[in-house]
Amino acid sequence: IGLLHERAGRDAEAREAYGRALVEDLSYAEAHTRLGMLALAERDTATAVRELQQAVELRGDDAMLRLQLAVVLVAAGRPSDAPAHLEKAIALEPWFAAPYFTLARLSEAYEMREQAVQRYTEFMARVPASDPRLAEVRARLAAIAAPAAR
């Protein structure tokens, strides 16, 4: 019901429905995830982090959920907490490309060039040739290599 409200643009009703679902079953990870994403849309990163952390505690073997938490942690100004979740997502689903891309971006932001190159390369090996991020990745790899060529 919460998802139907969300899709109809009725976020308050969606939050209420997810809240009712959690009253019935506090271990319903999807309700925590959706509440977190609604909070993120409202730029309430503290609530988003809290809800997604709760979801990860309940379903720690979900690579997509760990990726979502990592992205929210970055949005909340806590990028140093994100790599552990990205590494776990990679360990859980080695062919899931998105965590490699996000980890490469973080590595690059922290000027960890070798790790960024490795993660971008791993990302490229896992996505179809039609992925729109490939052009960005190739440009980022060229930019990383440019200072070394000087």
Side-chain angles (χ1 to χ4, degrees), residues 11 31 36 43 51 57 100 102 111 113 115 134-135 147 150:
D11 292 351
R43 291 181 164 74
E51 290 293 345
E57 285 179 26
Y100 293 95
T102 306
E111 298 183 8
R113 287 188 169 102
Q115 185 178 20
L134 281 174
R150 291 180 190 168

Side-chain angles (χ1 to χ4, degrees), residues 1-14 18 38:
I1 293 173
L3 193 55
L4 291 173
H5 284 302
E6 254 188 275
R7 289 189 177 157
R10 297 186 301 263
D11 292 351
E13 290 90 343
Y18 294 133
L38 285 168

Side-chain angles (χ1 to χ4, degrees), residues 69-112:
L69 176 55
V71 169
V72 169
L73 286 165
V74 171
R78 296 173 48 189
S80 63
D81 294 337
H85 294 287
L86 295 167
E87 293 288 358
K88 182 65 174 174
I90 288 168
L92 290 166
E93 296 289 341
W95 285 99
F96 181 29
Y100 293 95
F101 179 80
T102 306
L103 196 52
R105 294 296 302 256
L106 283 172
S107 298
E108 192 176 357
Y110 283 103
E111 298 183 8
M112 299 167 60

Side-chain angles (χ1 to χ4, degrees), residues 30 55-56 59-68 89 92-93:
E30 185 62 22
V56 166
R59 272 195 357 229
D61 62 345
D62 185 324
M64 176 58 102
L65 191 51
R66 288 201 175 260
L67 172 64
Q68 287 175 304
L92 290 166
E93 296 289 341

